[in-house]
Amino acid sequence: MNTDTKNEPVGAWKAVAEWYHAYFTGIVLYTVSRMGPAKAEELVYEIFCRQRRERFLPGLQKLGIDTLPPAVAAAQYHYLSNHIGGVSVEYMYESERKAWIRYAAPRWIWAGTALCGIPPEVSRAMLHGWHAQNGTMLNNPRLGFVCTKQTVDGQSGLEGYYYEYDRDLQPHERLRFAREEDAPDFDPAKAPKLPIDTWPAARLAKAHRNYAMEYVRSAFPSALQLWGPDEAAHRLRMAGRMVGMQFYHETARGLGGGYAPDARGFAGFLADLGAAHGDRTSVVADRGAFEVRQEGWAFREGLDEWSPLLSQAWNGLLEGAHQAHNRRLGMQFVDGSGPGRPELSWTIRDN
């Protein structure tokens, strides 16, 4: 497994981040193409509502910006939290009542050519679910978000500003569009910065991994509640298989590479991938087969809305990786988790 300073597995953490980054984008694209833009819009809205409810207020405190004016605090939160996640993002202060945020090209969330497959209403759903609701979270009914550009409309980025009006806003007024306006230029010297002593390189790398994973962690219970366990598990598993196939080799290189195309090699990949999540893994050889055991399940931790079918859906990523590594190998997955005791295992055989 790749390591960096002080033997921290920074390269492996980055590989896991890209693994989940690709999975989240794949889930949305799969929903658009198989279920239609309206279903994808609904899913993205629920995902970002969930993240906002769970992350926004605690994040303000963790970043030390919870006492700033509401418009400034909201914009700085999106700048700092997305900056931690490796997103190309800009922040421009205009006044205590107006602060800009700009997600510059290339967009992280719709990486590469995926941008061409995202309908504008799906991008708007993200704004409706999070940015437009920051005022309600801060108990400030005068705070809204004004979107001035959308990358999915062929514009130079997703940008807009938080603005505190002179009156309370109605729900439909919390997000409005002003395409004739243009963000001021970004000056990095004037942007907020994370304290180096509390956010060293290793902590940032781990936070980057968790940032990407959190998108998928939000997608699983959102899909479960919208579509039911059978439909959600099928869709998430199929998207996972495709992403696992496409990103196996890139992820393997990030973990250190050198995995022989046999059962032992794939068992090593699974063990290293689990360890890069922060889980305790081991490989046991038994009569020509290799059993990978994982104690703990970082992805599942804290997710109370769950169905056993979602375990198989998540394993779809590893089914796809298995196909790309060597489709002739046998693989069996068992979720042996009990109350408070996450435990997963895979048995890999040379057929």
Short mmCIF file of all heavy atoms in Angstrom, two decimals, residues 187-240:
data_model
loop_
_atom_site.label_atom_id
_atom_site.label_comp_id
_atom_site.label_asym_id
_atom_site.label_seq_id
_atom_site.Cartn_x
_atom_site.Cartn_y
_atom_site.Cartn_z
N ASP A 187 -9.45 36.06 -5.35
CA ASP A 187 -8.13 36.41 -4.84
C ASP A 187 -7.78 35.44 -3.71
O ASP A 187 -8.31 35.56 -2.59
CB ASP A 187 -8.12 37.85 -4.31
CG ASP A 187 -6.74 38.29 -3.84
OD1 ASP A 187 -5.82 37.44 -3.76
OD2 ASP A 187 -6.57 39.49 -3.53
N PRO A 188 -6.91 34.45 -3.97
CA PRO A 188 -6.59 33.45 -2.94
C PRO A 188 -6.09 34.07 -1.64
O PRO A 188 -6.30 33.51 -0.57
CB PRO A 188 -5.50 32.60 -3.61
CG PRO A 188 -5.71 32.80 -5.08
CD PRO A 188 -6.20 34.20 -5.24
N ALA A 189 -5.44 35.22 -1.73
CA ALA A 189 -4.89 35.85 -0.53
C ALA A 189 -5.99 36.31 0.42
O ALA A 189 -5.76 36.46 1.62
CB ALA A 189 -4.00 37.02 -0.91
N LYS A 190 -7.19 36.56 -0.11
CA LYS A 190 -8.29 37.04 0.71
C LYS A 190 -9.25 35.91 1.12
O LYS A 190 -10.23 36.17 1.82
CB LYS A 190 -9.07 38.11 -0.06
CG LYS A 190 -8.27 39.37 -0.35
CD LYS A 190 -9.10 40.40 -1.10
CE LYS A 190 -8.29 41.66 -1.38
NZ LYS A 190 -9.11 42.66 -2.15
N ALA A 191 -8.97 34.70 0.69
CA ALA A 191 -9.85 33.57 1.00
C ALA A 191 -9.52 33.02 2.39
O ALA A 191 -8.38 33.12 2.86
CB ALA A 191 -9.68 32.48 -0.04
N PRO A 192 -10.51 32.44 3.08
CA PRO A 192 -10.23 31.84 4.39
C PRO A 192 -9.31 30.64 4.25
O PRO A 192 -9.29 29.98 3.22
CB PRO A 192 -11.63 31.42 4.88
CG PRO A 192 -12.45 31.28 3.65
CD PRO A 192 -11.92 32.29 2.68
N LYS A 193 -8.54 30.38 5.30
CA LYS A 193 -7.58 29.28 5.26
C LYS A 193 -7.75 28.40 6.49
O LYS A 193 -8.11 28.87 7.56
CB LYS A 193 -6.15 29.83 5.19
CG LYS A 193 -5.85 30.56 3.89
CD LYS A 193 -4.46 31.16 3.89
CE LYS A 193 -4.14 31.80 2.54
NZ LYS A 193 -5.09 32.86 2.18
N LEU A 194 -7.47 27.13 6.30
CA LEU A 194 -7.49 26.19 7.42
C LEU A 194 -6.21 26.34 8.24
O LEU A 194 -5.12 26.46 7.67
CB LEU A 194 -7.59 24.76 6.90
CG LEU A 194 -8.89 24.38 6.19
CD1 LEU A 194 -8.73 23.05 5.48
CD2 LEU A 194 -10.03 24.30 7.18
N PRO A 195 -6.31 26.33 9.56
CA PRO A 195 -5.10 26.40 10.40
C PRO A 195 -4.21 25.19 10.15
O PRO A 195 -4.66 24.04 10.23
CB PRO A 195 -5.65 26.40 11.82
CG PRO A 195 -7.09 26.77 11.69
CD PRO A 195 -7.54 26.28 10.36
N ILE A 196 -2.95 25.43 9.82
CA ILE A 196 -2.03 24.33 9.49
C ILE A 196 -1.83 23.40 10.67
O ILE A 196 -1.67 22.18 10.51
CB ILE A 196 -0.68 24.89 9.01
CG1 ILE A 196 -0.86 25.67 7.71
CG2 ILE A 196 0.34 23.78 8.80
CD1 ILE A 196 0.40 26.34 7.21
N ASP A 197 -1.86 23.96 11.90
CA ASP A 197 -1.58 23.13 13.06
C ASP A 197 -2.69 22.13 13.34
O ASP A 197 -2.45 21.04 13.85
CB ASP A 197 -1.31 23.98 14.30
CG ASP A 197 -2.46 24.94 14.59
OD1 ASP A 197 -3.26 25.22 13.68
OD2 ASP A 197 -2.55 25.43 15.75
N THR A 198 -3.93 22.48 12.98
CA THR A 198 -5.04 21.56 13.22
C THR A 198 -5.46 20.82 11.96
O THR A 198 -6.22 19.86 12.04
CB THR A 198 -6.25 22.31 13.80
OG1 THR A 198 -6.63 23.37 12.90
CG2 THR A 198 -5.94 22.89 15.16
N TRP A 199 -4.97 21.24 10.78
CA TRP A 199 -5.30 20.56 9.53
C TRP A 199 -4.01 20.25 8.76
O TRP A 199 -3.79 20.77 7.67
CB TRP A 199 -6.23 21.42 8.67
CG TRP A 199 -7.63 21.46 9.19
CD1 TRP A 199 -8.16 22.34 10.08
CD2 TRP A 199 -8.69 20.56 8.87
NE1 TRP A 199 -9.47 22.05 10.33
CE2 TRP A 199 -9.83 20.96 9.60
CE3 TRP A 199 -8.79 19.44 8.03
CZ2 TRP A 199 -11.04 20.29 9.52
CZ3 TRP A 199 -10.00 18.77 7.94
CH2 TRP A 199 -11.11 19.19 8.68
N PRO A 200 -3.14 19.38 9.31
CA PRO A 200 -1.93 18.99 8.59
C PRO A 200 -2.27 18.16 7.36
O PRO A 200 -3.42 17.74 7.16
CB PRO A 200 -1.16 18.18 9.64
CG PRO A 200 -2.21 17.65 10.55
CD PRO A 200 -3.28 18.70 10.61
N ALA A 201 -1.26 17.87 6.54
CA ALA A 201 -1.47 17.19 5.26
C ALA A 201 -2.15 15.84 5.43
O ALA A 201 -3.04 15.48 4.64
CB ALA A 201 -0.13 17.02 4.55
N ALA A 202 -1.76 15.07 6.44
CA ALA A 202 -2.36 13.74 6.63
C ALA A 202 -3.84 13.85 6.97
O ALA A 202 -4.67 13.07 6.47
CB ALA A 202 -1.62 12.98 7.72
N ARG A 203 -4.20 14.82 7.82
CA ARG A 203 -5.62 14.98 8.17
C ARG A 203 -6.42 15.41 6.95
O ARG A 203 -7.54 14.94 6.74
CB ARG A 203 -5.78 16.01 9.29
CG ARG A 203 -7.23 16.15 9.75
CD ARG A 203 -7.41 17.23 10.81
NE ARG A 203 -8.81 17.33 11.21
CZ ARG A 203 -9.29 18.28 11.99
NH1 ARG A 203 -8.48 19.21 12.48
NH2 ARG A 203 -10.57 18.31 12.29
N LEU A 204 -5.85 16.28 6.12
CA LEU A 204 -6.54 16.71 4.90
C LEU A 204 -6.76 15.53 3.96
O LEU A 204 -7.81 15.41 3.34
CB LEU A 204 -5.73 17.80 4.20
CG LEU A 204 -5.85 19.22 4.75
CD1 LEU A 204 -4.84 20.13 4.09
CD2 LEU A 204 -7.27 19.75 4.54
N ALA A 205 -5.75 14.66 3.82
CA ALA A 205 -5.88 13.50 2.93
C ALA A 205 -6.97 12.56 3.41
O ALA A 205 -7.76 12.04 2.61
CB ALA A 205 -4.54 12.77 2.84
N LYS A 206 -7.03 12.33 4.71
CA LYS A 206 -8.07 11.47 5.25
C LYS A 206 -9.45 12.11 5.10
O LYS A 206 -10.44 11.44 4.78
CB LYS A 206 -7.80 11.15 6.72
CG LYS A 206 -8.75 10.13 7.31
CD LYS A 206 -8.42 9.83 8.77
CE LYS A 206 -7.15 9.05 8.90
NZ LYS A 206 -6.90 8.62 10.32
N ALA A 207 -9.53 13.44 5.31
CA ALA A 207 -10.79 14.14 5.15
C ALA A 207 -11.25 14.10 3.69
O ALA A 207 -12.45 14.01 3.42
CB ALA A 207 -10.65 15.58 5.61
N HIS A 208 -10.31 14.16 2.76
CA HIS A 208 -10.64 14.05 1.33
C HIS A 208 -11.29 12.70 1.04
O HIS A 208 -12.29 12.62 0.34
CB HIS A 208 -9.34 14.23 0.52
CG HIS A 208 -9.52 14.12 -0.95
ND1 HIS A 208 -8.49 13.79 -1.79
CD2 HIS A 208 -10.61 14.28 -1.75
CE1 HIS A 208 -8.92 13.76 -3.03
NE2 HIS A 208 -10.20 14.06 -3.03
N ARG A 209 -10.72 11.64 1.61
CA ARG A 209 -11.32 10.31 1.45
C ARG A 209 -12.73 10.27 2.01
O ARG A 209 -13.68 9.79 1.35
CB ARG A 209 -10.45 9.27 2.19
CG ARG A 209 -11.02 7.85 2.16
CD ARG A 209 -10.39 6.99 3.26
NE ARG A 209 -10.78 7.45 4.59
CZ ARG A 209 -10.29 6.94 5.73
NH1 ARG A 209 -9.39 5.97 5.68
NH2 ARG A 209 -10.70 7.40 6.89
N ASN A 210 -12.91 10.79 3.21
CA ASN A 210 -14.22 10.76 3.85
C ASN A 210 -15.23 11.63 3.12
O ASN A 210 -16.43 11.31 3.08
CB ASN A 210 -14.09 11.20 5.31
CG ASN A 210 -13.25 10.26 6.13
OD1 ASN A 210 -12.99 9.12 5.73
ND2 ASN A 210 -12.77 10.72 7.28
N TYR A 211 -14.77 12.74 2.56
CA TYR A 211 -15.64 13.65 1.81
C TYR A 211 -16.29 12.91 0.64
O TYR A 211 -17.50 12.98 0.44
CB TYR A 211 -14.79 14.82 1.31
CG TYR A 211 -15.50 15.79 0.39
CD1 TYR A 211 -16.13 16.92 0.88
CD2 TYR A 211 -15.49 15.60 -1.00
CE1 TYR A 211 -16.76 17.83 0.04
CE2 TYR A 211 -16.11 16.50 -1.85
CZ TYR A 211 -16.74 17.61 -1.33
OH TYR A 211 -17.36 18.50 -2.17
N ALA A 212 -15.48 12.21 -0.15
CA ALA A 212 -16.02 11.49 -1.30
C ALA A 212 -16.92 10.34 -0.85
O ALA A 212 -17.98 10.11 -1.44
CB ALA A 212 -14.87 10.96 -2.16
N MET A 213 -16.52 9.62 0.18
CA MET A 213 -17.32 8.51 0.67
C MET A 213 -18.68 8.97 1.16
O MET A 213 -19.70 8.28 1.00
CB MET A 213 -16.57 7.77 1.79
CG MET A 213 -17.21 6.44 2.19
SD MET A 213 -16.46 5.69 3.67
CE MET A 213 -14.75 5.59 3.18
N GLU A 214 -18.74 10.18 1.73
CA GLU A 214 -19.98 10.67 2.32
C GLU A 214 -21.07 10.87 1.28
O GLU A 214 -22.26 10.72 1.57
CB GLU A 214 -19.71 11.98 3.07
CG GLU A 214 -20.84 12.42 3.98
CD GLU A 214 -21.14 11.39 5.06
OE1 GLU A 214 -20.20 10.75 5.57
OE2 GLU A 214 -22.34 11.23 5.38
N TYR A 215 -20.69 11.21 0.06
CA TYR A 215 -21.70 11.34 -0.99
C TYR A 215 -22.44 10.03 -1.22
O TYR A 215 -23.67 9.99 -1.35
CB TYR A 215 -21.04 11.80 -2.30
CG TYR A 215 -20.82 13.29 -2.38
CD1 TYR A 215 -19.59 13.85 -2.04
CD2 TYR A 215 -21.83 14.16 -2.78
CE1 TYR A 215 -19.37 15.22 -2.11
CE2 TYR A 215 -21.63 15.52 -2.86
CZ TYR A 215 -20.39 16.05 -2.52
OH TYR A 215 -20.19 17.40 -2.59
N VAL A 216 -21.69 8.93 -1.27
CA VAL A 216 -22.32 7.63 -1.49
C VAL A 216 -23.06 7.17 -0.24
O VAL A 216 -24.13 6.57 -0.32
CB VAL A 216 -21.28 6.60 -1.94
CG1 VAL A 216 -21.95 5.26 -2.24
CG2 VAL A 216 -20.54 7.09 -3.19
N ARG A 217 -22.50 7.46 0.93
CA ARG A 217 -23.19 7.13 2.18
C ARG A 217 -24.54 7.83 2.27
O ARG A 217 -25.48 7.31 2.86
CB ARG A 217 -22.31 7.52 3.38
CG ARG A 217 -21.21 6.54 3.71
CD ARG A 217 -20.24 7.09 4.75
NE ARG A 217 -20.92 7.76 5.85
CZ ARG A 217 -21.41 7.13 6.93
NH1 ARG A 217 -21.31 5.82 7.03
NH2 ARG A 217 -22.00 7.83 7.88
N SER A 218 -24.65 9.02 1.70
CA SER A 218 -25.94 9.72 1.66
C SER A 218 -26.85 9.16 0.58
O SER A 218 -28.07 9.17 0.73
CB SER A 218 -25.71 11.22 1.43
OG SER A 218 -24.97 11.80 2.47
N ALA A 219 -26.26 8.69 -0.51
CA ALA A 219 -27.06 8.17 -1.62
C ALA A 219 -27.77 6.87 -1.25
O ALA A 219 -28.91 6.64 -1.67
CB ALA A 219 -26.18 7.94 -2.85
N PHE A 220 -27.13 6.01 -0.46
CA PHE A 220 -27.72 4.71 -0.14
C PHE A 220 -29.05 4.84 0.63
O PHE A 220 -30.06 4.30 0.18
CB PHE A 220 -26.72 3.84 0.62
CG PHE A 220 -25.91 2.94 -0.28
CD1 PHE A 220 -25.19 3.46 -1.34
CD2 PHE A 220 -25.88 1.56 -0.09
CE1 PHE A 220 -24.46 2.63 -2.19
CE2 PHE A 220 -25.15 0.73 -0.92
CZ PHE A 220 -24.44 1.26 -1.98
N PRO A 221 -29.10 5.50 1.79
CA PRO A 221 -30.39 5.61 2.48
C PRO A 221 -31.39 6.46 1.70
O PRO A 221 -32.61 6.22 1.80
CB PRO A 221 -30.03 6.25 3.82
CG PRO A 221 -28.72 6.91 3.61
CD PRO A 221 -28.01 6.08 2.59
N SER A 222 -30.93 7.44 0.92
CA SER A 222 -31.86 8.24 0.12
C SER A 222 -32.54 7.38 -0.93
O SER A 222 -33.76 7.45 -1.13
CB SER A 222 -31.12 9.41 -0.54
OG SER A 222 -30.59 10.29 0.42
N ALA A 223 -31.76 6.56 -1.64
CA ALA A 223 -32.33 5.65 -2.63
C ALA A 223 -33.25 4.63 -1.98
O ALA A 223 -34.31 4.29 -2.52
CB ALA A 223 -31.21 4.94 -3.40
N LEU A 224 -32.86 4.13 -0.81
CA LEU A 224 -33.69 3.16 -0.08
C LEU A 224 -35.07 3.74 0.20
O LEU A 224 -36.10 3.07 -0.02
CB LEU A 224 -33.00 2.77 1.21
CG LEU A 224 -33.78 1.87 2.18
CD1 LEU A 224 -34.02 0.50 1.57
CD2 LEU A 224 -33.03 1.76 3.51
N GLN A 225 -35.13 4.97 0.70
CA GLN A 225 -36.42 5.56 1.08
C GLN A 225 -37.25 5.95 -0.15
O GLN A 225 -38.48 5.89 -0.10
CB GLN A 225 -36.18 6.79 1.98
CG GLN A 225 -35.42 6.48 3.26
CD GLN A 225 -36.08 5.41 4.12
OE1 GLN A 225 -37.21 5.04 3.93
NE2 GLN A 225 -35.31 4.88 5.08
N LEU A 226 -36.59 6.36 -1.23
CA LEU A 226 -37.32 6.77 -2.43
C LEU A 226 -37.86 5.58 -3.22
O LEU A 226 -38.98 5.62 -3.73
CB LEU A 226 -36.42 7.61 -3.33
CG LEU A 226 -36.14 9.05 -2.90
CD1 LEU A 226 -35.10 9.67 -3.83
CD2 LEU A 226 -37.41 9.89 -2.90
N TRP A 227 -37.05 4.53 -3.35
CA TRP A 227 -37.37 3.45 -4.30
C TRP A 227 -37.71 2.13 -3.64
O TRP A 227 -38.19 1.21 -4.32
CB TRP A 227 -36.18 3.22 -5.23
CG TRP A 227 -35.71 4.44 -5.96
CD1 TRP A 227 -36.45 5.56 -6.27
CD2 TRP A 227 -34.39 4.69 -6.46
NE1 TRP A 227 -35.68 6.46 -6.94
CE2 TRP A 227 -34.41 5.97 -7.07
CE3 TRP A 227 -33.21 3.95 -6.48
CZ2 TRP A 227 -33.28 6.52 -7.69
CZ3 TRP A 227 -32.08 4.50 -7.08
CH2 TRP A 227 -32.13 5.78 -7.67
N GLY A 228 -37.47 1.99 -2.35
CA GLY A 228 -37.68 0.71 -1.70
C GLY A 228 -36.43 -0.16 -1.83
O GLY A 228 -35.57 0.08 -2.68
N PRO A 229 -36.29 -1.19 -0.97
CA PRO A 229 -35.04 -1.96 -0.91
C PRO A 229 -34.70 -2.71 -2.18
O PRO A 229 -33.53 -2.74 -2.59
CB PRO A 229 -35.26 -2.91 0.27
CG PRO A 229 -36.74 -2.94 0.49
CD PRO A 229 -37.25 -1.61 0.08
N ASP A 230 -35.67 -3.31 -2.84
CA ASP A 230 -35.36 -4.12 -4.02
C ASP A 230 -34.87 -3.25 -5.17
O ASP A 230 -33.84 -3.55 -5.79
CB ASP A 230 -36.59 -4.93 -4.45
CG ASP A 230 -36.95 -6.00 -3.43
OD1 ASP A 230 -36.14 -6.91 -3.23
OD2 ASP A 230 -38.04 -5.92 -2.84
N GLU A 231 -35.62 -2.21 -5.47
CA GLU A 231 -35.24 -1.33 -6.58
C GLU A 231 -33.93 -0.60 -6.27
O GLU A 231 -33.05 -0.50 -7.13
CB GLU A 231 -36.36 -0.32 -6.84
CG GLU A 231 -36.12 0.59 -8.03
CD GLU A 231 -36.32 -0.10 -9.37
OE1 GLU A 231 -36.79 -1.25 -9.38
OE2 GLU A 231 -35.99 0.52 -10.39
N ALA A 232 -33.80 -0.09 -5.05
CA ALA A 232 -32.58 0.64 -4.69
C ALA A 232 -31.36 -0.27 -4.79
O ALA A 232 -30.32 0.10 -5.35
CB ALA A 232 -32.70 1.21 -3.28
N ALA A 233 -31.47 -1.49 -4.26
CA ALA A 233 -30.34 -2.41 -4.27
C ALA A 233 -29.95 -2.77 -5.70
O ALA A 233 -28.75 -2.82 -6.04
CB ALA A 233 -30.67 -3.66 -3.48
N HIS A 234 -30.93 -3.01 -6.55
CA HIS A 234 -30.63 -3.37 -7.95
C HIS A 234 -29.90 -2.23 -8.65
O HIS A 234 -28.86 -2.43 -9.30
CB HIS A 234 -31.91 -3.71 -8.69
CG HIS A 234 -31.73 -3.86 -10.17
ND1 HIS A 234 -31.02 -4.91 -10.72
CD2 HIS A 234 -32.14 -3.08 -11.20
CE1 HIS A 234 -31.01 -4.77 -12.04
NE2 HIS A 234 -31.68 -3.67 -12.35
N ARG A 235 -30.43 -1.01 -8.54
CA ARG A 235 -29.84 0.14 -9.24
C ARG A 235 -28.44 0.44 -8.72
O ARG A 235 -27.49 0.66 -9.49
CB ARG A 235 -30.73 1.37 -9.08
CG ARG A 235 -32.15 1.20 -9.60
CD ARG A 235 -32.21 1.06 -11.09
NE ARG A 235 -33.58 0.97 -11.58
CZ ARG A 235 -33.92 0.79 -12.84
NH1 ARG A 235 -32.97 0.69 -13.76
NH2 ARG A 235 -35.19 0.71 -13.21
N LEU A 236 -28.28 0.46 -7.41
CA LEU A 236 -26.99 0.78 -6.82
C LEU A 236 -25.95 -0.30 -7.12
O LEU A 236 -24.78 -0.01 -7.35
CB LEU A 236 -27.13 0.97 -5.31
CG LEU A 236 -28.00 2.15 -4.87
CD1 LEU A 236 -28.26 2.08 -3.36
CD2 LEU A 236 -27.33 3.48 -5.22
N ARG A 237 -26.40 -1.55 -7.15
CA ARG A 237 -25.47 -2.65 -7.44
C ARG A 237 -24.99 -2.60 -8.89
O ARG A 237 -23.80 -2.79 -9.17
CB ARG A 237 -26.14 -3.98 -7.14
CG ARG A 237 -25.23 -5.20 -7.30
CD ARG A 237 -25.97 -6.47 -6.94
NE ARG A 237 -25.10 -7.63 -6.89
CZ ARG A 237 -25.50 -8.85 -6.56
NH1 ARG A 237 -26.78 -9.06 -6.22
NH2 ARG A 237 -24.65 -9.85 -6.54
N MET A 238 -25.91 -2.34 -9.81
CA MET A 238 -25.52 -2.30 -11.21
C MET A 238 -24.58 -1.14 -11.49
O MET A 238 -23.58 -1.28 -12.21
CB MET A 238 -26.77 -2.20 -12.08
CG MET A 238 -27.61 -3.47 -12.12
SD MET A 238 -26.68 -4.90 -12.71
CE MET A 238 -26.34 -4.41 -14.41
N ALA A 239 -24.87 0.03 -10.92
CA ALA A 239 -23.96 1.16 -11.08
C ALA A 239 -22.60 0.83 -10.48
O ALA A 239 -21.55 1.16 -11.05
CB ALA A 239 -24.56 2.41 -10.42
N GLY A 240 -22.61 0.17 -9.31
CA GLY A 240 -21.36 -0.20 -8.67
C GLY A 240 -20.53 -1.15 -9.52
O GLY A 240 -19.31 -1.01 -9.61
#
